[in-house]
Amino acid sequence: MSHNYVKKMKVLDSANATTIYTVPDTKTAFLNAFRVVETSNNATSHTLTVTDSSANVFAVWTNVALSAFNEGDVIPRNLVLNQGDVVKFTATDANRITIHASFLERDQGVNNTFVAHRKDHTSSGNATIYTVPTGKKAIVNSIILSNDHASSTSGTTYAKFADSSDNEFSYAIGAVAAETAVELCVRPQIMDEGEYIIVSPNTANTLHSHASVLEISNPG
């Protein structure tokens, strides 16, 4: 299986959304690292989004503050990207932020497949963001909840894993503040065939969810 490592380095000379990387045809990619550095001795902020192949835009984080002469690595776990996904970065101010992004490209699998599942939560209440397909197990490597609203929290939000009999098991509980993103997976989580992930925001039009999953053939 072909693997290709890609590094992107850029000084953000514009306050417009800038395309950093696009996943090539027939490939899956992993955003392994994303480092930001403020070089002008001025505080600023930045936004990262993923635009899918259907032109839907999903916030990964929004208006995150970066102090003067400071830096940080802003991806806690690998983020899976599907074919055609476009990673875009916006700096609030031009000529203040330098970025270093590292990607791994690999051929799309057949028996073992990495896939990203995303949802714009336009309503409150339970929403299924991923279901393990028939004949598969899954390893969930990352679940990011990103609130891109400028002022509203998500309210009390639940993330749950449900089994194939629709029994729900709470995984995370808490509000996601305005313009804040949280990573729910400290370690990978195993899922069996027919199980699914639910995200339930209390407030509509606040959250985007990102689930990065490895699907494998079910040996049993």
Side-chain angles (χ1 to χ4, degrees):
M1 179 169 287
S2 175
H3 290 74
N4 182 38
Y5 292 90
V6 178
K7 178 71 178 291
K8 299 290 185 179
M9 297 183 289
K10 188 171 183 64
V11 177
L12 274 296
D13 57 2
S14 166
N16 298 318
T18 300
T19 295
I20 304 301
Y21 172 76
T22 302
V23 182
D25 290 346
T26 75
K27 298 291 184 180
T28 298
F30 306 85
L31 176 52
N32 291 326
F34 203 105
R35 186 169 180 82
V36 295
V37 185
E38 201 295 307
T39 60
S40 72
N41 198 23
N42 292 283
T44 188
S45 60
H46 50 90
T47 295
L48 186 75
T49 62
V50 175
T51 302
D52 68 16
S53 58
S54 299
N56 300 303
V57 179
F58 300 90
V60 181
W61 66 78
T62 303
N63 284 336
V64 173
L66 183 61
S67 302
F69 281 163
N70 208 339
E71 69 281 323
D73 291 288
V74 291
I75 292 289
R77 294 187 64 80
N78 292 348
L79 186 68
V80 173
L81 301 167
N82 298 326
Q83 172 182 315
D85 283 349
V86 181
V87 177
K88 295 184 180 183
F89 186 90
T90 305
T92 302
D93 305 280
N95 299 308
R96 293 188 182 180
I97 294 179
T98 301
I99 66 164
H100 300 257
S102 296
F103 300 87
L104 167 60
E105 297 172 351
R106 54 168 280 169
D107 295 337
Q108 295 170 346
V110 177
N111 294 320
N112 300 331
T113 305
F114 287 92
V115 63
H117 288 266
R118 310 183 187 97
K119 186 171 181 62
D120 181 358
H121 294 266
T122 56
S123 60
S124 60
N126 283 358
T128 298
I129 65 169
Y130 171 70
T131 303
V132 182
T134 301
K136 298 286 187 178
K137 283 182 177 286
I139 302 171
V140 183
N141 291 308
S142 172
I143 302 174
I144 294 174
L145 301 184
S146 176
N147 185 345
D148 68 338
H149 199 282
S151 58
S152 295
T153 71
S154 68
T156 301
T157 294
Y158 293 84
K160 304 173 185 177
F161 286 78
D163 64 21
S164 57
S165 298
D166 299 322
N167 299 302
E168 298 178 2
F169 301 88
S170 293
Y171 183 72
I173 304 171
V176 182
E179 296 184 337
T180 298
V182 294
E183 170 62 74
L184 301 185
C185 284
V186 177
R187 300 292 299 168
Q189 302 295 315
I190 305 299
M191 299 181 69
D192 290 321
E193 175 183 332
E195 294 183 343
Y196 53 101
I197 303 171
I198 299 167
V199 171
S200 180
N202 182 261
T203 305
N205 296 308
T206 55
L207 287 187
H208 292 174
S209 59
H210 303 255
S212 295
V213 179
L214 168 60
E215 296 175 347
I216 60 177
S217 296
N218 192 344

